[in-house]
Structures are given as C-alpha cells and as structure tokens.
C-alpha cells in the first residue's frame, strides 16, 4: 500500500511508443475514431499520432489562447509547416501572401522550401519606413487574390506592430484565410482568433516554455476541418512533440503568465531608462510613445503590455559604432550573454548586424530579450556596461 498519494497536479509521463490493447476490437475502434474528440480521445494508438501528455499540454495552451483546439509540434518551424499544410493543394494551390517583416527562418523556409522545392506562388508584402500601407495591401489582395495571408503582429528586430485587426478584416473581406505568428505578444497581450484570424502559431520555444531548454511549436484554431487535416499531416510527417518535452512544458506553463508580466514590466522600465541615456541614439520599443507604431501597440494590446524585447542603437559616429557595440557586449556578457533566441527567463542579447547582416546592417544595434530578473539588477548591468563604452 502506498503511504502517500500521487500529486494530482503532475501528469505522469506516458512514454510508450505504441499503446497496449487488450482486445482486437478496441484497436479497430481506435483507428476508426481517431479524428473524433482529439482532445478527449477514448484510445491512444501510437505516440507519433497522439500521446496523453502532449494532449494534456495542448489543453493548457487551449485555455491560454481560448481556442477550440491546439496541436503541439517539435518546433516553431514545424508548427508553421503544419499550419500551411492545409493550403497545399498540389497544382491547384493558389497564391499565398506573406508579410516581409517575419522571422528570418520563416523567410528562408519560404525561399528554399515553399518557392524552390514546392513551387508555390508566394508573394511578399513589404513594410515601408517602419509601417504597413493598408491601401497597398488592398491593391495586392485585389491583384493576386491570395488564399492566405500570413503575418507577425510584432516584427523582429525593429518591433513594428501591425494594425493586426485591420489586416485581418481586410484579408477576410477579400476571401483570404489568415495565419498569425504571435510568438512575440503571446496570448497574454493579444488573442488573434478572437479577432477572426483562422490560425495562430507560436514558437513555444520562446515565452511559453521560457527557460531556454525546450524546443516546441503550436498551431491553434477553431475550425475543426483544419484540425482534422492537420492531425493527419502531423501524423504522417511526424511533426510531434515528445512526451517528456510535453511534460516539461506543462510545468513551465504554470508560471508563464507571471513570467510574461514581469518580462513586459521590466522591458518598459528599461526602455524608459535607456531612452534617457546619452550613450544611446535610439530605443525601439513599442511601449514608448516615440516608437513608429506605438498607437498600433496600444490598440492591439489595450495597453496591457508591450512585450519583452527592446532593440536599441548605441550612439557614436558610424565608424565608432562597431567598437561601441563590442565594448558594451564585452562588459555585459557575464550577466547578459549572447544567445541566439529570445523569451528566456534570463536576459540575453544579440548584436543585430551579426544576425541580420544586409537586411539590418546597423553595427551599433542590439536586440535585448529582457528577462524576469529583479529590475534593479538589470538596470545596474546595463548602465555599468554603457558607462564602460570607450573608456
Ligand atoms: N516564429 C518566430 C517569431 C520566431 O522568432 C521563431 C524562432 O526564432 C520561430 C517562429 C521558429 O521557432 P523555432 O525556433 O521554435 O522553430
């Protein structure tokens, strides 16, 4: 007899590859009912199809997003591939429209996979001077009549906030489906499905997992036909999260909202401080009234917060900027290291030019993913490192 009970807040890891069946009839029924009640299944068959821990994690995400369903995948990129899979119709595939200011990896996937390998007619809608021109968008929609429009609510690294509700309304009016990658705002600041988007994607690797040690992605939506198609695609392509990663994700999600609130508070406070510092030329943060899309940010998040990323440009003559950037990083990296991701509970940074190169060739620019550390500590690290520049 056990002396103490299992903690019912913790879900055991069912790491079975295939599940145990007592009756042949049950196995037959399991295959037959596979698409029914995907989040309350009567049977589990094989973990590449569906696993109890993954389903439990999906249910937590559905609560956060307010969606009818969620499908977890092994990375944000595979979530993007999964979401787009329903629009692949062989030779009948219609044009797709992507906004230009999206994750660089997604842009590479578009060029190398969608265009080059799959021959999809992909169009790009470019931003101009830090914003999107809605009249131009309407003309493009009328011209190419895309089947889908794909955008990110907040761009990276310049943090351009889209007038997302207007974009969705316009795209839907023109008959396109809308996919939003909402990794940067998270469901805390905006829920695209509530504003009529068809699918929302997150790189769960970022804020939702938030500890820099889990790679995952999710697609969420309300349309059950999309759901059935994606369950099939995920199963046959194998875009599935592992049970142990799903279990860790469930634990991380318990603190997600607290963490994200702290990311936002810290980032705003730090952005206000940086804006006053003479060693900084420009701070890009959507919560500052100086940001080109501050009004969009207020409209979209209703002022609940502005995210945890700050991009700033160090002051100095053009030929000094590279050196200033190196000095700054050299003096801060013990506390805030260079790590090419974002959304971790610890602050991390990236020099923009080193990552974006030709697209953003600004040698003095840094993208700071503000962590959830005590704000006084963060301020001290940043101010000390700024003081060291050119000393
Ligand atoms: N979407 C955004 C906005 C991202 O920043 C990233 C990765 O940086 C991805 C998608 C891809 O996610 P993952 O790295 O989890 O595959």
């Amino acid at each position: 007899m056990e002396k103490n009970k299992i903690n019912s807040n913790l879900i055991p890891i069912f790491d079975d590859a295939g599940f145990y069946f007592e009756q042949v009839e049950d196995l037959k029924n399991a295959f037959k009912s596979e698409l029914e009640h995907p989040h309350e299944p009567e049977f589990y068959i094989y973990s590449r199809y569906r696993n109890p821990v993954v389903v439990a994690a999906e249910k937590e995400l559905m609560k956060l997003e307010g969606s009818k369903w969620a499908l977890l995948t092994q990375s944000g990129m595979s979530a993007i591939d999964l979401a787009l899979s329903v629009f692949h119709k062989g030779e009948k595939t219609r044009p797709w429209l992507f906004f230009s200011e999206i994750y660089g990896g997604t842009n590479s996937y578009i060029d190398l996979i969608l265009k080059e390998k799959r021959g999809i007619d992909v169009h790009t809608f470019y931003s101009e001077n830090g914003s999107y021109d809605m009249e131009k968008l309407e003309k493009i929609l009328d011209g190419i009549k895309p089947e889908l429009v794909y955008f990110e609510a907040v761009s990276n690294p310049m943090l351009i906030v889209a007038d997302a509700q207007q974009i969705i309304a316009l795209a839907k009016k023109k008959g396109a489906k809308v996919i939003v990658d909402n990794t940067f705002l998270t469901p805390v600041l905006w829920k695209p499905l509530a504003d009529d988007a068809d699918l929302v994607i997150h790189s769960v690797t970022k804020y939702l997992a938030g500890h820099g040690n889990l790679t995952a992605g999710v697609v969420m939506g309300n349309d059950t036909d999309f759901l059935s198609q994606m369950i099939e695609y995920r199963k046959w392509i194998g875009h599935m999260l592992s049970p142990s990663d799903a279990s860790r994700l469930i634990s991380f999600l318990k603190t997600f909202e607290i963490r994200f609130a702290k990311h936002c508070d810290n980032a705003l406070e730090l952005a206000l401080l940086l804006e006053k510092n003479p060693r900084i030329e420009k701070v890009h943060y959507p919560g500052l009234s100086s940001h080109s899309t501050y009004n969009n940010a207020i409209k979209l998040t209703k002022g609940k917060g502005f995210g945890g990323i700050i991009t700033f440009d160090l002051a100095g003559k053009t030929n000094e900027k590279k050196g200033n950037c190196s000095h700054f990083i050299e003096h801060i990296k013990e506390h805030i290291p260079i790590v090419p991701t974002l959304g971790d509970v610890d602050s991390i940074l990236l020099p923009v030019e080193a990552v974006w190169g030709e697209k953003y060739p600004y040698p003095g620019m840094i993208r700071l993913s503000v962590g959830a550390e005590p704000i006084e500590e963060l301020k001290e690290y940043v101010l000390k490192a700024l003081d060291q520049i050119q000393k």
Side-chain angles (χ1 to χ4, degrees):
M1 217 7 220
E2 344 163 314
K3 289 239 171 81
N4 51 358
K5 290 199 175 141
I6 288 172
N7 179 350
S8 60
N9 286 324
L10 299 176
I11 292 160
I13 301 176
F14 297 90
D15 54 9
D16 319 46
F19 290 85
Y20 177 86
F21 281 85
E22 195 127 7
Q23 306 289 340
V24 176
E25 223 28 56
D26 282 348
L27 181 61
K28 279 191 186 165
N29 287 335
F31 281 119
K32 255 194 246 156
S33 63
E34 230 201 303
L35 294 182
E36 290 164 22
H37 318 297
H39 293 95
E40 300 293 342
E42 208 179 340
F43 299 104
Y44 287 92
I45 303 173
Y46 190 61
S47 276
R48 199 190 68 240
Y49 298 11
R50 186 170 17 226
N51 174 285
V53 197
V54 176
V55 169
E58 287 171 346
K59 283 184 175 168
E60 294 302 318
L61 290 162
M62 284 153 64
K63 272 192 252 162
L64 277 171
E65 193 75 44
S67 63
K68 282 206 180 124
W69 54 263
L71 292 179
L72 273 163
T73 62
Q74 74 284 52
S75 66
M77 289 313 298
S78 51
I80 293 170
D81 189 60
L82 178 64
L84 291 170
S85 67
V86 293
F87 303 96
H88 280 282
K89 292 171 187 160
E91 288 188 350
K92 290 192 199 130
T93 307
R94 285 173 36 210
W96 298 354
L97 181 64
F98 287 78
F99 277 42
S100 58
E101 298 308 306
I102 54 178
Y103 168 53
T106 313
N107 272 321
S108 300
Y109 164 81
I110 292 170
D111 290 339
L112 302 174
I113 311 293
L114 296 183
K115 290 189 185 169
E116 231 175 277
K117 300 250 181 233
R118 301 187 186 161
I120 308 226
D121 185 14
V122 176
H123 296 252
T124 310
F125 174 57
Y126 292 93
S127 71
E128 282 163 63
N129 309 320
S131 68
Y132 302 107
D133 181 334
M134 290 296 120
E135 278 176 29
K136 277 203 177 142
L137 176 62
E138 184 158 12
K139 277 196 192 129
I140 293 177
L141 290 169
D142 285 336
I144 61 170
K145 299 192 177 21
E147 178 156 22
L148 74 86
V149 170
Y150 180 111
F151 71 98
E152 288 179 19
V154 180
S155 80
N156 180 14
M158 303 312 271
L159 310 173
I160 301 168
V161 183
D163 188 342
Q165 288 116 331
Q166 204 191 346
I167 293 165
I168 296 171
L170 188 59
K172 303 290 300 236
K173 195 170 110 192
K174 305 288 178 183
K177 299 287 183 195
V178 177
I179 305 179
V180 179
D181 178 337
N182 201 32
T183 301
F184 273 51
L185 289 183
T186 84
V188 169
L189 295 186
W190 183 47
K191 295 185 174 66
L193 300 176
D195 278 325
D196 214 20
D198 296 281
L199 295 168
V200 57
I201 291 166
H202 295 277
S203 166
V204 172
T205 316
K206 308 299 179 335
Y207 293 104
L208 289 162
H211 290 71
N213 57 5
L214 174 66
T215 303
V218 69
V219 186
M220 293 186 265
N222 294 327
D223 182 317
T224 47
D225 178 42
F226 283 168
L227 170 65
S228 304
Q229 292 184 53
M230 282 187 214
I231 287 175
E232 288 289 322
Y233 187 84
R234 182 176 66 168
K235 182 167 84 178
W236 301 128
I237 298 288
H239 281 337
M240 182 47 112
L241 192 66
S242 76
S244 46
D245 280 348
S247 166
R248 292 196 299 132
L249 177 59
I250 292 169
S251 302
F252 294 154
L253 286 175
K254 287 178 197 285
T255 56
F256 158 66
E257 285 169 288
I258 300 170
R259 279 186 279 111
F260 195 66
K262 182 72 173 147
H263 284 292
C264 292
D265 288 350
N266 278 358
L268 180 59
E269 202 164 328
L270 212 52
L272 288 165
L273 184 81
L274 293 177
E275 207 180 26
K276 284 188 276 180
N277 194 294
R279 291 181 189 265
I280 290 181
E281 194 171 296
K282 175 100 185 133
V283 181
H284 303 265
Y285 183 67
L288 297 178
S289 55
S290 57
H291 192 272
S292 62
T293 54
Y294 171 72
N295 290 337
N296 286 350
I298 292 280
K299 188 176 159 206
L300 197 58
T301 72
K302 305 194 170 56
K304 275 181 284 177
F306 304 93
I309 307 293
I310 304 174
T311 300
F312 58 91
D313 199 5
L314 294 165
K317 298 195 190 100
T318 316
N319 61 351
E320 292 167 358
K321 288 208 175 196
K322 210 179 196 99
N324 290 352
C325 185
S326 306
H327 274 116
F328 177 80
I329 291 176
E330 208 42 51
H331 286 99
I332 206 166
K333 72 179 187 197
E334 185 194 339
H335 304 292
I336 305 185
I338 303 174
V339 185
T341 181
L342 60 96
D344 291 2
V345 70
D346 297 314
S347 297
I348 51 183
L349 61 77
L350 277 184
V352 167
E353 189 198 21
V355 178
W356 282 270
E358 273 178 25
K359 188 164 184 197
Y360 294 112
Y362 307 131
M365 196 176 267
I366 288 170
R367 186 194 77 184
L368 179 62
S369 171
V370 181
E373 298 95 337
I375 184 65
E376 293 309 324
E377 251 175 46
L378 277 180
K379 283 183 181 170
E380 194 187 319
Y381 300 150
V382 172
L383 290 179
K384 269 197 182 153
L386 284 172
D387 266 359
Q388 295 301 320
I389 293 178
Q390 286 177 333
K391 264 197 179 165

